Amino acid sequence: MTGPLSADAVRTLSRSCGFALAGLARAEALDPGPLRRWLDAGYDADMVWIRRKVDERLDPTKVLPGARTVLALGIPYHHVGASPVARYARGRDYHYAHKDRMKTLRKRLVELAPGIETYACVDNGAAMEKVWAERAGLGWIGKNGCLINPTWGSWITLSVMFLDREVDAFDQPHGNLCGNCDTCLHSCPTDAFPSPGVVDARRCLSYQTIENHGAVPEELRPKLAGHVFGCDVCQEVCPFNRRPIDPGDARFEPRPIGTMSADELAGLSEDDFEALAAGTALVRARYDGIRRNAVLALGAARRRAARPLLERLSRDDSDLVREAALWALARIR
């Protein structure tokens, strides 16, 4: 191991590999309090993968022995237009984009510093990407739990890379600019924020429409109007997201499935869903999950024109879809 890497060189390499945002933080153990309190409260619902390797999530050296630096990376995504699909999910799955670009970045870093060891992951790996992004100066974690960048707002996806080399200058943690604004907390349709910056996944529509593969609690169903995959409400009302800025990376432009209505999504055949959802985040909800969500959204909106479709789906082979359709029909009647 030689001297520290040039921070400017690492940032330049990151941008050349397609990352609009890149920041550097010292690889130190994180305060375990916030994560452990969140888990103890049960706010993770049944996302058991979060509970796995908690120690690794809190300490980069548990993942990469000798980790010295955390490189936080961000890619903005398209966020214009109306759709029942959350903005980040309308185009290519951001996990693939980050992994592809990090693979290229790692090769460039090895050329810069032969022998360097790294660990890279998106938000489904053993790293708390938002915390590291805040420490690396990319933005701050807002009261809605999202990372907010002063230029891009929260319309960004994140990844991190641990390096076993120091850099010659680390970025300063970003200050919180939310101030007294709490619009996001009061705008959440299901009151999913027990406190600022803390999300109770059990009440969050994003969790219910993506991670929950069972029945959606009846008390939350009326709030699903306009939401088939994810929810952007707490971001839409944020003042930092109302600025007229560039719509984001062109490679995340919406695909056909990302612009479909709830009626169209509910009526998809399995073959059409598999073809249209391939390469997007919608595959996480699965075929029956997307149809369940779309049916509940139609019922929540009391869309009478969808009654023939709902009657057909009330006889569907899927218990999940059939039950949702019966609920939607009862609500319309």
Side-chain angles (χ1 to χ4, degrees), residues 30-31 34-35 54 56-58 121-122 125-133 160 162:
L30 301 173
D31 176 7
L35 176 59
V54 170
E56 287 85 346
R57 292 183 185 282
L58 296 168
C121 71
V122 197
M128 299 182 68
E129 76 288 346
K130 287 185 289 187
V131 176
W132 288 116
V160 297
F162 299 159

Side-chain angles (χ1 to χ4, degrees), residues 28-293:
E28 300 173 330
L30 301 173
D31 176 7
L35 176 59
R36 295 194 184 280
R37 286 193 294 271
W38 187 75
L39 292 172
D40 289 343
Y43 294 153
D44 59 325
D46 64 354
M47 294 184 287
V48 295
W49 55 270
I50 298 179
R51 293 179 177 269
R52 300 190 189 114
K53 300 182 179 180
V54 170
D55 291 340
E56 287 85 346
R57 292 183 185 282
L58 296 168
D59 187 350
T61 64
K62 301 287 187 181
V63 180
L64 177 67
R68 302 290 186 86
T69 301
V70 177
L71 171 58
L73 303 160
I75 305 175
Y77 58 86
H78 273 243
H79 56 271
V80 293
S83 169
V85 175
R87 287 160 173 78
Y88 80 87
R90 297 174 188 173
R92 187 187 184 208
D93 188 335
Y94 67 91
H95 293 87
Y96 298 140
H98 278 273
K99 289 178 180 179
D100 290 346
R101 298 179 195 191
M102 285 192 292
K103 184 177 180 179
T104 302
L105 176 56
R106 187 185 185 282
K107 291 180 180 178
R108 301 288 301 276
L109 287 170
V110 170
E111 293 173 359
L112 177 68
I116 190 172
E117 294 292 335
T118 66
Y119 167 84
C121 71
V122 197
D123 55 8
N124 54 356
M128 299 182 68
E129 76 288 346
K130 287 185 289 187
V131 176
W132 288 116
E134 184 177 60
R135 287 195 171 201
L138 301 193
W140 68 96
I141 299 175
K143 293 177 183 178
N144 60 2
C146 297
L147 186 94
I148 304 174
N149 176 270
T151 299
W152 291 101
S154 60
W155 308 122
I156 49 178
T157 56
L158 302 169
S159 59
V160 297
M161 184 179 290
F162 299 159
L163 315 176
D164 70 348
R165 295 281 295 277
E166 285 194 352
V167 292
D168 57 11
F170 292 98
D171 292 295
Q172 293 298 311
H174 203 294
N176 191 305
L177 303 183
C178 286
N180 294 324
C181 179
D182 57 3
T183 304
C184 58
L185 304 182
H186 300 298
S187 299
C188 177
T190 56
D191 296 322
F193 297 106
S195 60
V198 178
V199 181
D200 182 349
R202 297 169 298 185
R203 299 195 60 82
C204 179
L205 293 185
S206 287
Y207 165 80
Q208 292 296 339
T209 57
I210 301 173
E211 304 293 345
N212 180 13
H213 299 301
V216 175
E218 289 211 20
E219 66 167 308
L220 303 181
R221 295 182 182 189
K223 306 298 184 180
L224 279 168
H227 304 288
V228 174
F229 186 93
C231 176
D232 285 329
V233 171
C234 67
Q235 297 189 82
E236 290 168 342
V237 300
C238 177
F240 287 94
N241 284 334
R242 295 179 179 177
R243 301 177 180 181
I245 60 175
D246 187 285
D249 194 310
R251 283 162 286 192
F252 291 91
E253 289 183 358
R255 295 184 178 182
I257 196 170
T259 61
M260 287 183 171
S261 66
D263 305 65
E264 293 171 322
L265 291 166
L268 282 174
S269 69
E270 187 166 7
D271 287 343
D272 285 342
F273 173 78
E274 295 294 338
L276 292 168
T280 74
L282 274 75
V283 297
R284 291 172 58 192
R286 306 173 187 172
Y287 174 57
D288 288 343
I290 287 293
R291 293 193 299 149
R292 173 206 63 182
N293 299 342

